[in-house]
Amino acid sequence: MGSMDALLSNGYNNSHRAFLQALLAHGTVTFEQLQSILAAIFNVANGGDGETRPDQVTQEDVQAYLEIASDAASLFDYEIRSTVHQLTKQRIYSLVNTTSDPQTQLATTYNPEELSFIKRVLDGMFDKYNTPRMEALAITEMQAIKFARPNRRQSQSQMDGDEEAPTQTSTDKGLKHSEVENVLASLLEGGWFEKSKDGFYAVTPRALLELRPWLIDMYNDPDAGPDEWQRIKFCEACKDIVTMGLRCSEPNCTLRLHDMCQEAFWRARRTGSCIKCSREWTGAHFVGERAVTMTEAYRRGRRRSGGRRSTLADEVIQQQADDAEQQEALEEESVDEDQGDE
Ligand SMILES: [Zn+2]
Ligand SMILES: [Zn+2]
């Protein structure tokens, strides 16, 4: 009650209510969208007496409304949080439920089969397609379709070929092809996933805001040392999660940076060498879909197929895994034989 009194003395009125409702409807908004929402609200409140254009809505207007709306939202266990996109740097504002976890929220939208498919897709992004040598952290629709049905194989990323393992003898029959497409489309619409022009699905800034504790809990080893490779990685500069960014060229090194964080980071250090392993920092080794799409094999494949080969990402990832395996076998051999020459 006390907080409601405080709200009312803050001047919470119909425009604030309309603002909060617009936020609820959108889930996630950009600054420009906030300007449009507010311009519409101002115009209604004005009763047609002079038109406010979205670009006339100031940073101060937006800030004032965000603060009052945030206070009001907290009464319903919501909070307005803000973050920036790792690549576009676009700032987003999101109304986040502070009491219910994402699984609970998703459970109101999806049935159990769909939920377990979503979990398999997340396992794909954060486990199967996220290895020390290739941290794609994104999956194509083709790859997602392979997760349509539950697999007997556990999510331990064993590289034991591509053959379809028999499905579990459980009631979970998985999803049909068209259902997979629908769930992916609705995850895009719901603001959980985004799709790149190369056709990769990845988690959005909003998803990272909400899923952060769950992702760390689910995919990282709490007993790992500070320099051990982990599935969820953090930017050395801003300490936020990196799912799209840059990495050290040494596969065993754990230095990761966002594109937008790297310049200031290296300028302050006056060096071009990795501060963890002292290898030269290339700025051309990637976390995210570019780990796949910037490879020579991928670019060659795209040129040849005119960008129409949906299995290309899979082929490149498989080739890379084979190469890595061969490389490791070679290294083991040379250790066994203790040879100094080739
Ligand atoms: Zn960063
Ligand atoms: Zn390094």
Side-chain angles (χ1 to χ4, degrees):
M1 285 315 241
S3 43
M4 186 58 96
D5 291 342
L7 251 186
L8 291 172
S9 68
N10 256 347
Y12 186 76
N13 58 32
N14 282 339
S15 343
H16 297 112
R17 193 197 315 277
F19 182 72
L20 194 54
Q21 272 164 357
L23 277 184
L24 256 176
H26 284 82
T28 302
V29 286
T30 63
F31 182 77
E32 290 71 27
Q33 285 173 309
L34 288 174
Q35 285 180 304
S36 299
I37 291 168
L38 276 181
I41 289 171
F42 291 166
N43 289 333
V44 168
N46 236 356
D49 186 17
E51 189 87 345
T52 305
R53 291 193 320 269
D55 63 299
Q56 292 173 314
V57 176
T58 65
Q59 175 84 50
E60 287 73 38
D61 293 332
V62 170
Q63 204 51 47
Y65 269 76
L66 280 175
E67 272 166 29
I68 294 177
S70 207
D71 283 347
S74 69
L75 299 178
F76 312 101
D77 298 321
Y78 277 87
E79 195 180 293
I80 297 173
R81 291 193 200 153
S82 173
T83 188
V84 292
H85 190 282
Q86 295 169 82
L87 290 182
T88 67
K89 297 192 218 172
Q90 179 158 59
R91 179 164 291 282
I92 57 116
Y93 302 82
S94 193
L95 204 53
V96 173
N97 189 321
T98 50
T99 49
S100 91
D101 53 25
Q103 297 91 297
T104 314
Q105 295 173 47
L106 290 171
T108 63
T109 313
Y110 299 102
N111 67 38
E113 281 79 22
E114 291 169 334
L115 283 173
S116 69
F117 165 71
I118 294 170
K119 174 61 168 58
R120 291 193 296 277
V121 169
L122 288 169
D123 286 348
M125 286 179 181
F126 289 97
D127 184 25
K128 184 168 183 176
Y129 298 115
N130 173 29
T131 64
R133 283 179 183 272
M134 201 173 245
E135 299 172 336
L137 288 156
I139 73 170
T140 65
E141 188 164 323
M142 272 291 293
Q143 290 164 340
I145 286 167
K146 289 189 183 169
F147 295 124
R149 286 164 205 289
N151 211 309
R152 196 173 57 177
R153 209 167 28 166
Q154 293 305 298
S155 61
Q156 300 278 317
S157 56
Q158 301 163 329
M159 284 294 184
D160 53 359
D162 258 350
E163 67 273 351
E164 294 280 285
T167 47
Q168 254 172 345
T169 51
S170 74
T171 50
D172 187 349
K173 299 243 186 319
L175 302 185
K176 288 185 288 202
H177 193 135
S178 60
E179 292 169 331
V180 165
E181 285 174 351
N182 288 341
V183 171
L184 288 176
S186 98
L187 288 167
L188 288 178
E189 181 149 332
W192 295 97
F193 286 177
E194 60 184 40
K195 189 180 180 185
S196 73
K197 65 174 168 42
D198 277 312
F200 286 82
Y201 290 82
V203 289
T204 58
R206 181 262 175 108
L208 285 174
L209 268 184
E210 299 211 38
L211 292 174
R212 183 188 165 107
W214 181 84
L215 287 172
I216 295 167
D217 191 50
M218 184 57 70
Y219 295 110
N220 278 5
D221 175 3
D223 302 321
D227 286 328
E228 262 181 79
W229 186 84
Q230 294 260 37
R231 290 181 179 84
I232 308 299
K233 300 153 243 297
F234 300 92
C235 174
E236 194 73 18
C238 74
K239 313 296 179 199
D240 262 344
I241 293 181
V242 180
T243 59
M244 301 169 181
L246 302 163
R247 60 171 296 173
C248 181
S249 59
E250 164 57 50
N252 294 315
C253 178
T254 56
L255 191 79
R256 304 289 180 270
L257 288 167
H258 290 117
D259 293 62
M260 60 186 168
C261 296
Q262 77 154 337
E263 200 190 315
F265 184 82
W266 294 117
R267 205 189 313 120
R269 277 162 191 77
R270 300 165 182 276
T271 170
S273 306
C274 175
I275 55 161
K276 284 191 197 269
C277 75
S278 71
R279 258 220 209 179
E280 193 196 345
W281 181 262
T282 63
H285 286 79
F286 301 101
V287 179
E289 68 172 76
R290 287 175 296 172
V292 179
T293 60
M294 294 297 276
T295 58
E296 187 49 39
Y298 187 87
R299 301 172 89 171
R300 203 183 322 120
R302 268 193 79 88
R303 279 197 300 273
R304 283 192 187 149
S305 70
R308 279 189 300 275
R309 206 150 100 220
S310 55
T311 54
L312 182 57
D314 258 351
E315 289 164 25
V316 170
I317 290 166
Q318 190 54 49
Q319 184 60 46
Q320 187 279 336
D322 293 347
D323 289 352
E325 214 167 274
Q326 236 171 36
Q327 183 71 26
E328 269 157 36
L330 274 176
E331 277 162 17
E332 259 168 48
E333 220 168 79
S334 70
V335 168
D336 287 348
E337 295 169 17
D338 197 31
Q339 283 176 335
D341 56 359
E342 284 198 319

